[in-house]
Amino acid sequence: DQPRSRGLGDVYKRQEKGIINTKAMEFDLDTRFRMVAESGAYDYYDKTPEDPAEADAYMAASEKYDVPIRAGGWFYTLGQDEPLLKQKLELSARLGSIVHNTQIRANHADGHLVTNDEVMAIYLQAAEWGDQCGCTPTFEVHINMWSEDFRRINQLADMVEARGVPFRMTLDHSHVIFKIDNVEEQKVFDIASAVESGELVLDPFKEGSICKQWIERGFVQHAHARAAIPNNPRNTFYQYEDGSPGRGAQYPFIEPRPGEYVAPWDESKLEPWKEVVRQLFTYHASHADSPLSQVSTEFIPGPDYGAGHGYSQFEHSVACAKWLRKTWEEISTQETT
């Protein structure tokens, strides 16, 4: 069994994609590990190298700066990437990771929308591989993946648990929060009617919210902390080939400098996102069997996130990590007094 920090005193660094200062500044591997260590905000590094040949270099940097690589992740297309998932799980375990964030693309290699049965089959297989190598696959809620229809997560969990296997997920609630009051985004997988009827509750301040359901069912073993707000502004600083902007699933955690973001910044709009974190930490502090093992910040420069913006992904990650630590300390103290 892998050890888990009951105190969640560890608040962690997300992938190296977040270790940039602007869209034009990236750093070599040694510098990335040094920045994480010197920030004082993190206890580990989150990365599965694209090339397994890079593993030795990552482990050397990890040892040099005393920054373990406790998590990683990758994305997979069913019908072609099943062997890759097994390889990545084994590579993650070799690096010392206890979880492997697993993204399953919405479409199968032959083009059809993957079914719940297909996702269940790879979940059960991945769980078996994870048990063998000592690294747990945690399936992520994420746009462009099977889980973007949030209703399917509970459906899959029911199917998996009916077979005697616990369901473990990565909670990246930015993907839920940015769809609140977002007409265009609620058209994806036609969740608008479910939201309107109350079948699917996105707002964490309302009874029966989907994120709180996942938390209280004990699904969340890993979490990504990337801020987003309801009806998050689209990333008009980036344009796809068809001229459309990025979808907008990232919001600055601290006030950006003039010209660094696409819209005026309002800290109060972060409250729904912060509320989910509070709910997650409260559950963890009050449930001895909580599976949550770590939280990673994830401010990244992708087209649907921070691409083209002038603010430092790393600066915002550090600020978020410090807020996570402070929030955990407050909640854990309340729960033990």
Side-chain angles (χ1 to χ4, degrees):
D1 291 341
Q2 295 289 345
R4 178 171 67 84
S5 167
R6 267 302 313 155
L8 202 71
D10 308 321
V11 178
Y12 304 110
K13 180 69 200 93
R14 174 53 182 158
Q15 288 187 13
E16 58 195 356
K17 287 181 181 179
I19 309 174
I20 64 174
N21 280 346
T22 72
K23 63 180 181 179
M25 293 180 64
E26 297 188 22
F27 307 100
D28 61 31
L29 184 63
D30 186 87
T31 302
R32 294 195 294 267
F33 271 88
R34 177 178 59 77
M35 289 171 65
V36 168
E38 291 180 351
S39 74
Y42 307 111
D43 298 287
Y44 89 127
Y45 203 89
D46 186 327
K47 177 66 177 179
T48 301
E50 182 173 0
D51 184 352
E54 297 177 310
D56 288 343
Y58 275 86
M59 288 190 289
S62 171
E63 183 176 356
K64 177 179 178 179
Y65 292 104
D66 193 25
V67 177
I69 305 170
R70 290 245 312 189
W74 207 253
F75 43 88
Y76 305 95
T77 298
L78 297 189
Q80 70 179 31
D81 288 339
E82 287 82 354
L84 179 64
L85 175 52
K86 184 174 187 291
Q87 293 166 15
K88 292 290 188 183
L89 277 166
E90 292 170 349
L91 175 59
S92 294
R94 179 186 167 198
L95 290 166
S97 296
I98 62 172
V99 295
H100 180 76
N101 180 57
T102 306
Q103 298 180 23
I104 302 298
R105 293 190 186 277
N107 291 328
H108 190 276
D110 67 12
H112 77 265
L113 186 68
V114 296
T115 66
N116 284 354
D117 284 337
E118 289 170 331
V119 181
M120 179 186 67
I122 192 58
Y123 182 92
L124 295 174
Q125 179 63 80
E128 182 179 327
W129 289 333
D131 286 344
Q132 292 168 358
C133 69
C135 181
T136 301
T138 53
F139 279 39
E140 185 177 14
V141 53
H142 200 285
I143 57 175
N144 303 318
M145 305 297 158
W146 72 277
S147 53
E148 185 168 358
D149 182 346
F150 308 131
R151 296 166 292 186
R152 298 184 69 185
I153 293 177
N154 282 343
Q155 294 166 8
L156 178 67
D158 289 343
M159 296 166 68
V160 167
E161 290 179 341
R163 287 155 178 81
V165 177
F167 181 72
R168 296 290 180 254
M169 71 179 291
T170 297
L171 176 64
D172 185 340
H173 60 288
S174 64
H175 297 290
V176 176
I177 298 299
F178 94 114
K179 287 180 181 274
I180 297 173
D181 299 328
N182 193 324
V183 174
E184 289 303 313
E185 281 295 336
Q186 289 186 20
K187 291 178 181 177
V188 181
F189 289 111
D190 189 28
I191 66 170
S193 57
V195 171
E196 184 176 357
S197 70
E199 174 193 353
L200 177 62
V201 180
L202 305 180
D203 187 342
F205 289 108
K206 293 182 177 179
E207 187 69 26
S209 68
I210 191 65
C211 288
K212 195 168 187 181
Q213 287 184 40
W214 298 331
I215 292 167
E216 293 186 342
R217 288 190 65 176
F219 296 160
V220 184
Q221 185 162 341
H222 187 50
H224 286 173
R226 178 184 55 257
I229 65 172
N231 197 17
N232 203 100
R234 300 192 72 178
N235 182 9
T236 55
F237 281 4
Y238 181 92
Q239 286 192 339
Y240 284 100
E241 291 183 0
D242 64 0
S244 62
R247 295 177 69 178
Q250 179 170 300
Y251 194 73
F253 193 78
I254 54 179
E255 186 171 10
R257 299 168 185 86
E260 289 185 342
Y261 188 60
V262 299
W265 185 78
D266 183 348
E267 185 174 14
S268 67
K269 293 181 177 180
L270 286 168
E271 279 304 305
W273 182 89
K274 290 180 176 179
E275 176 61 17
V276 177
V277 174
R278 296 185 189 106
Q279 292 172 0
L280 178 63
F281 284 1
T282 298
Y283 180 87
H284 183 71
S286 59
H287 290 75
D289 60 349
S290 165
L292 181 64
S293 58
Q294 53 203 32
V295 178
S296 301
T297 58
E298 200 201 30
F299 289 78
I300 55 176
D304 296 327
Y305 309 98
H309 294 92
Y311 64 86
S312 164
Q313 311 293 320
F314 188 64
E315 181 181 350
H316 287 250
S317 290
V318 169
C320 182
K322 291 179 177 178
W323 178 84
L324 289 169
R325 285 190 182 278
K326 181 176 181 291
T327 301
W328 168 251
E329 289 170 2
E330 292 171 350
I331 288 174
S332 60
T333 298
Q334 292 170 3
E335 291 294 328
T336 56
T337 56

